[in-house]
């Protein structure tokens, strides 16, 4: 249960960690990347059409979730934010959000799914019937979202859409469909799920350890000095492990004639904890990558309910390392005979705002 702090002075950074899969189940209120979503509210899950890409209409894939309760709001004792993205590169355009789906789920402390007292985080007892979404509804074997489509032959396998059913059928399902048991159904969809889902990790959080520049030094001056010092020691690759990522980000941030000072601020700040993949700073502003790509809070449109939206978190390019994408820009990834084409430069880093109600 990697709970986000809402201390006004703290920016929470997210880092990737490998943990046993049981720690990432709904009962432990995880923050996580990849795999299937660990739903907070275990019933009334989003409809399939609510998770489709707004450009191509295909189902979006779970990218990450953040457990971010708000202590002062009784209705947000448990609160999780979910981010789904489209896997079709052609859907991505800079400043467009049509290929993203962002969901917020929140519960009171006293609710129908979980105990009033928090769980023991360091133990797992296989004899305990932990709460899970499978106990309330059928889930897609491939992606873990609401699955109402049933295989007409075995009546055991459920899917969220025809696309996922077809992928599973082409892999193993057609070979064992007629003799299928429910346990076998769960096991035989593993290879098909790997074609759809991202690798699964815990998203561990900790406060950012960074001192703001003093009043007698401007942010840009400090950034330039620290950037030059960093380059002398480490070279250009501040985004460790992502080949060409630093260069591609710089190309996006540069003016034709000079370096964008905001990019230096971004690069220097990230360099203090270069393995971070997420920044959480509710109610404040993202760490902008370029002065050309900034937006004032007053420019953020209100929620459909009329309440204002505030910044919650941003996803950083370093996440590509763990998604098995080796560089920004257009890349082709072959995995289990499925080829995915990405054009990620157009949306990383991505910043998300949420309704204040």
């Amino acid at each position: 249960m990697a709970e986000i702090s809402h201390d006004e002075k703290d920016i929470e950074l997210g880092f990737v960690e490998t943990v046993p899969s049981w720690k990432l189940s709904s009962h432990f209120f995880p923050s996580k990347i990849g795999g299937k979503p660990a739903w907070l509210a275990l019933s009334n899950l989003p409809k399939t059409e609510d998770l489709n890409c707004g450009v191509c209409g295909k189902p979006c894939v779970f990218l990450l979730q953040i457990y971010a309760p708000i202590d002062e709001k009784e209705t947000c004792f448990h609160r999780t934010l979910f981010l789904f993205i489209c896997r079709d590169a052609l859907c991505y355009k800079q400043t467009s959000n049509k290929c993203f789906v962002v969901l917020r789920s929140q519960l009171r402390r006293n609710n129908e799914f979980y105990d009033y007292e928090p769980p023991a985080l360091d133990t797992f007892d296989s004899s305990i019937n932990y709460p899970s979404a499978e106990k309330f509804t059928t889930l897609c074997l491939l992606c873990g979202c609401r699955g109402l489509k049933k295989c007409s032959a075995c009546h055991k396998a459920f899917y969220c859409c025809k696309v996922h059913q077809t992928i599973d059928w082409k892999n193993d399902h057609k070979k064992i469909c007629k003799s299928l048991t429910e346990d076998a159904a769960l096991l035989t969809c593993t290879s098909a799920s790997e074609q759809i889902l991202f690798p699964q990790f815990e998203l561990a959080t900790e406060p950012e350890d960074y001192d703001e520049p003093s009043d007698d030094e401007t942010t840009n001056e400090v950034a330039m000095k620290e950037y030059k010092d960093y380059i002398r020691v480490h070279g250009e690759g501040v985004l460790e492990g992502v080949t060409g990522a630093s260069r591609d980000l710089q190309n996006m941030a540069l003016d034709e004639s000079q370096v964008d000072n905001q990019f230096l601020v971004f690069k220097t700040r990230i360099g203090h904890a270069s393995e971070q993949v997420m920044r959480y700073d509710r109610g404040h502003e993202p760490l902008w990558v370029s002065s050309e790509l900034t937006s004032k809070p007053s420019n953020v449109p209100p929620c459909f309910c009329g309440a204002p939206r505030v910044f919650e978190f941003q996803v950083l390019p370093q996440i590509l390392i763990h998604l098995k994408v080796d560089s920004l820009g257009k890349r082709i990834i072959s995995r289990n005979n499925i080829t995915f084409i990405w054009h990620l430069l157009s949306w990383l880093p991505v910043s998300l705002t949420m309704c204040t109600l």
Side-chain angles (χ1 to χ4, degrees), residues 286-297:
L287 179 60
W288 299 109
V289 69
S290 167
S291 58
E292 298 298 322
L293 300 174
T294 61
S295 177
K296 296 180 180 179

Side-chain angles (χ1 to χ4, degrees), residues 1 8 31 48 68-69 81-82 92 106 112 160 162 165 200 306 317 324 326 335 344 357:
M1 184 169 60
E8 290 188 359
S31 294
T48 299
L81 312 177
F82 298 85
Y92 288 86
Q106 53 196 46
E112 62 180 301
C160 64
K162 188 68 175 179
Q165 183 176 7
Q200 179 173 254
K324 297 185 178 179
D326 65 354
R335 187 188 304 159
L344 297 172
L357 294 184

Side-chain angles (χ1 to χ4, degrees), residues 104-145:
R104 182 187 68 184
S105 180
Q106 53 196 46
L107 297 170
R108 297 174 181 270
R109 183 172 186 177
N110 189 10
N111 61 80
E112 62 180 301
F113 306 118
Y114 306 103
D115 292 336
Y116 189 82
E117 297 300 329
L121 300 180
D122 55 350
T123 58
F124 177 78
D125 187 344
S126 58
S127 66
I128 296 178
N129 191 21
Y130 291 110
S132 64
E134 291 93 336
K135 295 179 174 62
F136 293 84
T137 188
T138 52
L139 301 181
C140 177
L141 289 178
L142 267 68
C143 70
C145 295

